[in-house]
Amino acid sequence: MTEAKEFRAGFVSFVGRPNVGKSTLTNALVGEKIAITSPKPQTTRRAIRAVAHRPDGQIIIVDTPGMHRPRKLLGERLNAVVTSTLGDVDVIGMCFAAGEKIGPGDRFIFDQLQKFPTAKKVAIITKLDVNHKAEVFERLVEVDQLGEWDAVVPVSAVSGEQLDVLQQVLVSLLPVSEPLYEATHVTDETPDDLIAELIRESALAGARDELPHSLAAVVNDTETDDEGRLHIYASLIVERDSQKGIVIGKGGSRLSTIRQFARKEISRALGRSVSLHLQVKVLKEWQNDPKSLGKLGF
């Protein structure tokens, strides 16, 4: 008779340069959309906790903002979130896009990881589905030269290739433990936080370069009508009047597109009919104002 494996549970966080697929990987491991995705740097701004359930373990993923050199108070606070999170997790997975050579940004992040000696370190080569084997092999060599790892795993979050292998590796590095969450629990993110993030994701799609860091979204109120439809009243926050014009677009065309896309994503995520009422507000230099950052939850 085969002896049953010990159940393991613990915390994992992914780090890496912008657009290496950290949030996409989180969503793939959990099996549903938890974190928003965008090619824009610093898309993730909050530590979102999600749970990937397996028969042999529970991987609690803390999706954090990207580690970077801050230029504003918001950046400093985001870095503080990252540092606080990495100090508590059991495993840190550093992601490298298979098609991008390792550069100074990767080395900076790797050096920062040495501040957390108790966490296991896993190198994850992402985007196998869009890169040739030669590029993947080149990244594997570069990752090996970068430093020591507890494991190295190539994976594609989009096609699912090697996803189960990564889960097995992560579980094996976690401590023996009873389940830390109920089997039905997927995320600690509140519905309002999820709604605000999906609105921001919709606004980021196709946004000009000067907008992403200046965009925030907040849910002001929600109510359910007699037919069971959820009415959401929310605001997109920018720093300057010129940015407000960009978000609204000519004749309100861009804001209408944002609203339509966000409403569909929110309805899909919540599994119910929703109506989205969206406005744009200017909050001058909110990224550098402690009071404004506090109001926006940073």
Side-chain angles (χ1 to χ4, degrees):
M1 184 175 177
T2 304
E3 186 177 344
K5 289 184 178 180
E6 291 181 298
F7 194 89
R8 296 175 179 270
F11 297 85
V12 176
S13 191
F14 300 126
V15 300
R17 285 190 298 172
N19 202 28
V20 292
K22 301 182 291 293
S23 294
T24 302
L25 182 59
T26 294
N27 293 336
L29 288 170
V30 175
E32 62 181 80
K33 188 168 187 173
I34 300 297
I36 68 170
T37 59
S38 168
K40 304 292 183 180
Q42 308 305 312
T43 297
T44 302
R45 285 180 177 166
R46 304 179 191 277
I48 302 170
R49 190 174 292 181
V51 187
H53 298 276
R54 287 177 54 90
D56 56 345
Q58 211 171 61
I59 306 168
I60 301 151
I61 305 166
V62 188
D63 190 39
T64 65
M67 192 179 288
H68 65 295
R69 295 181 175 89
R71 293 183 295 175
K72 295 189 176 183
L73 182 57
L74 173 64
E76 293 177 10
R77 293 194 175 181
L78 296 184
N79 269 0
V81 170
V82 178
T83 301
S84 174
T85 300
L86 297 185
D88 292 333
V89 299
D90 302 291
V91 180
I92 300 173
M94 185 170 175
C95 299
F96 304 86
E100 299 177 20
K101 291 182 178 295
I102 289 180
D106 298 297
R107 295 185 181 91
F108 169 77
I109 295 171
F110 182 79
D111 288 342
Q112 297 303 304
L113 297 189
Q114 309 319 305
K115 298 177 182 178
F116 312 100
T118 60
K120 303 290 186 181
K121 312 295 192 305
V122 177
I124 303 169
I125 313 299
T126 62
K127 306 186 180 183
L128 292 188
D129 55 303
V130 293
N131 291 282
H132 298 296
K133 290 182 179 180
E135 291 177 306
V136 176
F137 180 75
E138 187 179 347
R139 289 302 83 71
L140 289 169
V141 172
E142 290 180 341
V143 163
D144 183 63
Q145 293 173 344
L146 191 59
E148 294 186 5
W149 305 93
D150 292 282
V152 179
V153 185
V155 68
S156 169
V158 174
S159 70
E161 184 180 358
Q162 291 266 105
L163 202 60
D164 191 56
V165 173
L166 177 60
Q167 287 186 331
Q168 291 173 6
V169 168
L170 294 176
V171 168
S172 72
L173 295 173
L174 297 176
V176 174
S177 167
E178 294 294 321
L180 301 177
Y181 286 91
E182 296 291 334
T184 56
H185 190 93
V186 175
T187 180
D188 284 351
E189 190 175 32
T190 67
D192 279 4
D193 284 343
L194 175 60
I195 290 168
E197 286 293 87
L198 291 173
I199 292 171
R200 189 164 65 91
E201 180 183 50
S202 301
L204 285 174
R208 297 184 186 178
D209 290 339
E210 69 267 26
L211 277 180
H213 286 288
S214 302
L215 274 174
V218 292
V219 175
N220 303 314
D221 194 17
T222 60
E223 61 180 17
T224 302
D225 62 24
D226 294 338
E227 297 179 355
R229 176 182 292 240
L230 179 66
H231 289 264
I232 300 166
Y233 301 88
S235 300
L236 274 168
I237 310 297
V238 295
E239 289 189 305
R240 298 189 296 275
D241 289 328
S242 60
Q243 295 173 339
K244 181 177 180 178
I246 293 172
V247 174
I248 293 175
K250 186 176 181 180
S253 59
R254 176 156 176 75
L255 185 61
S256 177
T257 300
I258 293 170
R259 184 189 297 111
Q260 291 174 19
F261 185 81
R263 186 190 61 77
K264 290 179 182 178
E265 290 297 305
I266 294 167
S267 180
R268 182 182 295 114
L270 299 183
R272 62 184 298 189
S273 176
V274 302
S275 176
L276 179 59
H277 309 267
L278 192 58
Q279 60 182 334
V280 183
K281 291 183 176 180
V282 177
L283 194 57
K284 299 289 186 181
E285 299 299 328
W286 67 264
Q287 293 182 86
N288 265 328
D289 179 35
K291 186 178 292 185
S292 296
L293 287 172
K295 287 180 179 179
L296 295 173
F298 296 108

